[in-house]
Amino acid sequence: MRLFIAEKKDVAEAISIALGGPSRPSEASFFVNGDHITWLWGHVLRLTDPEEHNEQFKKWSLRVLPMDWPISYAPEDRHIGHLKKVIELATQATELVNAGDPDPEGQRLVDEVIEYAGLEGKPIKRILINDNNGPAILKAIENIEDNEKYRGLSMSALARAVCDQRYGYNLTRCYTLKAREKGYDGVLSVGRVQTPILGLVVARDRAHDAHQKQAFHNIKAQIEMQDSSSMSITADYLPTESDPVDEKGRIIDSVFARKIVNDIQGQPVSILSVESVNRKNEPPQPYNLLALQADAAGLWNYKPKKVLEITQRLRDRYKAITYNRSDCRFLNDERHSEAPGLLKALSSAFGEMAEYANPNIKSKAFNSKKVGAHHAIIPTMNVPNLKKLSEDERRIYELITKLYIAQFYPPAEFTTTKTQLEIAGHNFLAEGRFNTSSGWRVLNEADLKDFEKAEKQQELHKLQKSDSGIVEYAESIKTFTKPPALYSMKTLLKDLTGVAKYVTDPEIKKLLLDKDSDKQEEAGGIGTPATRDSHIDTLFKRSFLAEKGKHIISTDIGRSFHDALPGFAVKPDMTALWHEKQKMIEAGKLDYKELIAEVDKSVAVEIERVLKNGLNLDIKSDAIQCPKCKKGILKLRKGPKGKFWGCSAYPECNAIVQDKSGKPNITAKPAKKFTASSEHFCPDCGKGLVRHPAKKQGIFWWGCSGYPGCKFMAYDEDHKPKLEKK
């Protein structure tokens, strides 16, 4: 019996149907001709955390850094039951087939289940499915390969996940603990993708703040055409190489600008050339997750995480859209044959909009060669009642559906005209645009409005070279340069796909661009459409980023933390360098453990630097320094005897200060020290017990000297602990 293990349930269902099997599973699998087809819910296993291997790692302490722990897996709690059934099926199978998505993550999440179950010795095959249509699946099965061929891909994904974990866990604890010594009460988290996103925002904010406006001058001529045309047009001065201009070719000398105005005032105009071009504006390709998040942010200020959650509901609850975490904006050619039926189904909710669509039109979005692990997000045959959707769900569903319908509308068409003129020995340029057909833009009121707004000097194309005119009015308009725009959620998301343009190191830039050479929507980006929302969300939760109207800005603590970090942490270089090593792992030229060891070493060096030099974090705090260690700060805590103040550097410093009206009583005499008994020991942890006086005079009780790690307590009986838990 073969067992196909797919990454998602809908892929398992598609395989079953393609093989002539049922569309509904029996418990955890579809049964077809003696074979079983099961599925995973993405990663059903997680990499274990350091504290699961070493008790010392449970408490955040500088003494145990850097942490080192073995690579192992544990089931995700919500998937334990399903995982058990998958492993039972895999154990019974004579052959396993990895049907994960055709990318490193899809390869790894199936392989890790097989390894976790200890079934690597079984025959294991691999099929690559990037289209859920039956013929495409059958073709993939015909081309089934040995899974061992893709071991490098699997190990590359494992190395990336482990390195992200080692890097983030160790340095987050290191920076946070050193910051707490200065009075900071939050968590200073770092991540390979998260922190460079902060770096982008900080850099943009500072460029905006540092901008010094500079004046420049636009020279315009209002021209009254004569002869047969009889039209009025506006033309702009074309600077020459010898003119006083800035780096963008704008006139910066007001005296020079005024001279040009005086030269042309009332002068005759002759036409040097008239060039008109008919243009077509094709509809945008269907959405991937990032483009959808960007548009939703621009339209309604939706956070990326919110859009992801909405699409997840549309997919899981309503079965109304295809895979929602896609990074692709193309569709397989086979999807085009589904258009008549899907457009007919959509007409129930979208009426004439879908009915007028022409399924014979095949947009550039239909291109199987450009489809990777997933195709674009489009609606399914399960068309929901729009009135039963929430406003958020309806908005996102309509965006997805209208863009799909647009693929079956003609392009918008318009004519652009450039007319070059000569006035008193100076060259001017007049530009015009005339819309000839709205095409797909009629589907959306905002798109149509933008299209109509773009029209200008609509009759300019009617000019002839033989026409002439006269300058009716000329002027020089003083304008000021604007600072780089602050990020909005939309522009930040868009920028994350192409951070390479901000990289000055040519080698790093090349590595980033090479990383995305096979992707249509990425050009040296960081993160993925499925994870960027969580990174941005974390930056907001940590108060590193904040919203200012529709803008996203860095906070004081965000900038201070950014400045305290080494360059490699706040730049995208690490993604580029890791990717280069991952490619070597995929090709079998590098053992995945070597990359992990390299990252471990760099983490250790950075921790050593911070422990030696401290963290140069500029924070405002009214916290009180610990009088004992002079490093940590006093923090209010609650113990069995009430409130007290302890050092933030605990367990390195065990200072205790009495509380007085909510403030540490620094001037009070230090609390009496109690010595652990050498005769009576804690039955829970084995440490010596301590005899304490109770509030009532003459009464005593026993507690563990390992408190607060161990909270054992006992009554006192004849100066001995009564070993029954109180």
Side-chain angles (χ1 to χ4, degrees):
M1 179 266 285
R2 287 188 302 180
L3 175 68
F4 291 80
I5 306 175
E7 181 171 335
K8 297 177 285 288
K9 188 177 181 180
D10 59 346
V11 177
E13 178 185 327
I15 296 173
S16 174
I17 294 172
L19 293 174
S23 60
R24 291 182 177 273
S26 175
E27 292 189 351
S29 71
F30 299 84
F31 185 66
V32 188
N33 301 325
D35 292 333
H36 281 272
I37 305 154
T38 190
W39 64 90
L40 307 176
W41 301 102
H43 283 281
V44 295
L45 295 168
R46 60 173 177 81
L47 285 168
T48 52
D49 291 329
E51 55 266 30
E52 294 177 75
H53 299 275
N54 190 329
E55 284 283 325
Q56 286 186 312
F57 297 158
K58 285 186 176 180
K59 286 192 175 294
W60 286 30
S61 171
L62 293 171
R63 289 186 302 183
V64 299
L65 297 181
M67 298 177 291
D68 184 29
W69 65 100
I71 300 170
S72 66
Y73 286 94
E76 291 279 8
D77 290 342
R78 64 188 184 279
H79 297 317
I80 288 176
H82 183 72
L83 175 62
K84 184 178 179 182
K85 293 174 183 177
V86 171
I87 292 176
E88 286 176 1
L89 288 167
T91 303
Q92 297 165 11
T94 56
E95 182 178 276
L96 304 176
V97 181
N98 183 334
D101 289 347
D103 56 23
E105 211 65 27
Q107 179 69 37
R108 183 63 206 159
L109 61 83
V110 175
D111 283 350
E112 66 194 22
V113 169
I114 295 171
E115 293 168 11
Y116 179 78
L119 301 175
E120 303 100 306
K122 284 181 179 284
I124 306 171
K125 300 295 183 180
R126 179 66 161 115
I127 57 169
L128 303 175
I129 298 173
N130 61 7
D131 186 342
N132 287 358
N133 282 294
I137 289 174
L138 292 176
K139 185 176 180 180
I141 293 174
E142 286 177 9
N143 295 320
I144 198 165
E145 299 176 280
D146 196 293
N147 192 58
E148 184 62 24
K149 178 180 177 182
Y150 297 92
R151 176 172 171 75
L153 203 67
S154 183
M155 293 299 101
S156 169
L158 174 61
R160 195 267 316 147
V162 172
C163 289
D164 274 338
Q165 193 184 45
R166 302 287 182 88
Y167 176 81
Y169 282 24
N170 275 299
L171 293 186
T172 293
R173 292 194 183 193
C174 177
Y175 298 140
T176 299
L177 290 169
K178 294 302 290 184
R180 286 176 182 173
E181 292 179 357
K182 292 175 172 284
Y184 186 67
D185 201 30
V187 174
L188 295 182
S189 60
V190 293
R192 175 179 55 87
V193 176
Q194 175 198 136
T195 315
I197 293 176
L198 173 62
L200 278 179
V201 180
V202 170
R204 177 63 61 88
D205 289 351
R206 285 181 167 155
H208 180 276
D209 295 345
H211 176 75
Q212 294 183 344
K213 65 179 183 180
Q214 301 291 331
F216 63 94
H217 305 271
N218 288 322
I219 304 169
K220 291 183 176 293
Q222 188 71 33
I223 302 166
E224 190 67 33
M225 299 305 299
Q226 299 169 336
D227 303 326
S228 60
S229 56
S230 298
M231 71 174 75
S232 179
I233 65 172
T234 301
D236 295 293
Y237 174 69
L238 290 175
T240 66
E241 290 183 0
S242 60
D243 289 350
V245 296
D246 62 13
E247 70 281 357
K248 292 188 177 180
R250 298 172 297 200
I251 301 295
I252 57 175
D253 188 325
S254 60
V255 175
F256 177 85
R258 174 50 54 189
K259 179 181 181 303
I260 299 294
V261 169
N262 292 335
D263 285 349
I264 66 172
Q265 201 75 257
Q267 294 299 309
V269 178
S270 58
I271 296 177
L272 300 178
S273 64
V274 180
E275 295 181 1
S276 293
V277 180
N278 295 324
R279 300 187 182 278
K280 292 184 178 182
N281 175 223
E282 301 287 346
Q285 292 155 237
Y287 283 113
N288 61 10
L289 178 59
L290 184 134
L292 182 62
Q293 289 171 324
D295 277 1
L299 289 167
W300 308 296
N301 206 29
Y302 283 1
K303 293 274 182 63
K305 184 179 180 181
K306 179 175 182 176
V307 177
L308 179 61
E309 291 170 347
I310 294 169
T311 57
Q312 201 68 50
R313 290 199 300 274
L314 289 172
R315 182 170 183 256
D316 295 342
R317 184 185 302 173
Y318 302 102
K319 314 294 183 187
I321 61 172
T322 57
Y323 182 64
N324 60 314
R325 295 171 181 254
S326 175
D327 61 353
C328 177
R329 298 192 71 173
F330 287 89
L331 297 165
N332 290 290
D333 292 305
E334 291 81 358
R335 285 276 176 185
H336 190 259
S337 61
E338 300 172 353
L342 183 50
L343 290 170
K344 185 176 181 181
L346 291 170
S347 65
S348 64
F350 292 87
E352 293 180 347
M353 189 181 295
E355 291 171 4
Y356 288 163
N358 181 358
N360 294 319
I361 293 176
K362 189 175 183 180
S363 76
K364 63 181 180 180
F366 293 94
N367 189 335
S368 298
K369 293 179 180 178
K370 294 188 176 182
V371 175
H374 311 286
H375 60 65
I377 306 171
I378 61 172
T380 68
M381 295 289 287
N382 297 312
V383 181
N385 184 337
L386 298 185
K387 294 180 180 179
K388 292 185 178 181
L389 298 178
S390 68
E391 182 182 44
D392 292 339
E393 291 167 343
R394 179 182 55 76
R395 282 175 167 177
I396 297 301
Y397 181 68
E398 286 184 350
L399 276 184
I400 293 169
T401 303
K402 286 181 180 179
L403 201 48
Y404 172 75
I405 294 174
Q407 307 309 307
F408 306 97
Y409 270 68
E413 298 182 18
F414 56 95
T415 299
T416 61
T417 301
K418 290 185 177 182
T419 301
Q420 195 163 334
L421 311 105
E422 190 271 330
I423 311 172
H426 303 293
N427 286 349
F428 280 73
L429 178 68
E431 294 184 287
R433 170 169 161 156
F434 173 64
N435 293 339
T436 54
S437 174
S438 301
W440 62 272
R441 287 182 174 271
V442 298
L443 295 174
N444 188 295
E445 188 176 334
D447 278 333
L448 184 58
K449 191 176 291 185
D450 288 344
F451 184 65
E452 292 172 346
K453 194 176 179 181
E455 277 195 313
K456 61 180 180 180
Q457 306 201 99
Q458 300 171 27
E459 296 186 334
L460 196 65
H461 65 283
K462 295 180 180 179
L463 284 179
Q464 302 292 323
K465 191 175 179 181
S466 57
D467 291 341
S468 62
I470 191 167
V471 176
E472 188 176 40
Y473 176 72
E475 64 178 335
S476 171
I477 301 172
K478 187 177 182 180
T479 310
F480 291 94
T481 57
K482 295 181 179 180
L486 294 172
Y487 275 121
S488 66
M489 185 61 76
K490 180 174 183 176
T491 57
L492 177 59
L493 286 170
K494 292 285 189 182
D495 241 11
L496 294 183
T497 66
V499 298
K501 62 177 174 282
Y502 301 117
V503 176
T504 55
D505 185 317
E507 185 59 30
I508 297 297
K509 183 191 286 280
K510 182 177 182 301
L511 290 173
L512 280 169
L513 292 172
D514 287 349
K515 173 180 71 70
D516 294 336
S517 60
D518 60 342
K519 298 177 183 176
Q520 302 301 320
E521 295 293 313
E522 305 276 336
I526 52 173
T528 67
T531 61
R532 285 168 180 146
D533 64 285
S534 64
H535 296 307
I536 293 173
D537 191 50
T538 298
L539 290 170
F540 276 100
K541 285 181 178 178
R542 302 289 188 230
S543 298
F544 298 159
L545 297 181
E547 288 183 291
K548 184 180 180 181
K550 288 191 174 183
H551 293 128
I552 293 174
I553 60 169
S554 54
T555 62
D556 288 341
I557 186 61
R559 292 190 185 196
S560 180
F561 183 40
H562 168 277
D563 295 345
L565 292 171
F568 70 79
V570 297
K571 295 178 180 178
D573 301 25
M574 193 182 304
T575 289
L577 296 171
W578 284 17
H579 181 72
E580 184 181 30
K581 298 293 176 67
Q582 285 178 261
K583 284 170 62 178
M584 294 173 66
I585 294 170
E586 290 175 17
K589 298 178 180 178
L590 182 74
D591 190 292
Y592 76 98
K593 294 179 182 178
E594 292 183 53
L595 175 56
I596 296 171
E598 186 178 313
V599 171
D600 282 343
K601 183 178 179 181
S602 64
V603 166
V605 169
E606 173 60 9
I607 289 174
E608 183 180 2
R609 181 191 73 82
V610 174
L611 293 180
K612 180 180 178 181
N613 302 326
L615 190 66
N616 187 23
L617 191 69
D618 182 19
I619 56 173
K620 297 176 182 178
S621 174
D622 55 1
I624 298 174
Q625 189 180 62
C626 172
K628 182 178 180 180
C629 70
K630 308 293 184 183
K631 293 181 179 179
I633 60 165
L634 295 179
K635 301 187 74 173
L636 187 62
R637 306 187 189 281
K638 191 173 182 180
K641 296 178 68 175
K643 294 180 180 178
F644 69 95
W645 292 79
C647 182
S648 63
Y650 179 85
E652 281 77 9
C653 176
N654 59 0
I656 294 177
V657 177
Q658 294 175 0
D659 177 68
K660 184 177 181 180
S661 302
K663 294 183 179 181
N665 189 7
I666 300 290
T667 59
K669 292 181 180 180
K672 183 180 178 181
K673 286 190 175 182
F674 296 95
T675 306
S677 173
S678 59
E679 297 180 14
H680 306 295
F681 300 94
C682 175
D684 288 351
C685 71
K687 292 182 179 179
L689 294 175
V690 178
R691 189 169 183 257
H692 299 273
K695 290 183 179 179
K696 189 173 181 181
Q697 193 170 358
I699 303 297
F700 293 84
W701 59 278
W702 292 77
C704 181
S705 62
Y707 179 84
C710 178
K711 294 181 173 58
F712 174 80
M713 292 189 296
Y715 288 109
D716 180 78
E717 188 174 70
D718 296 330
H719 292 78
K720 295 180 181 179
K722 187 177 181 181
L723 296 180
E724 295 177 2
K725 289 187 179 180
K726 186 176 178 180

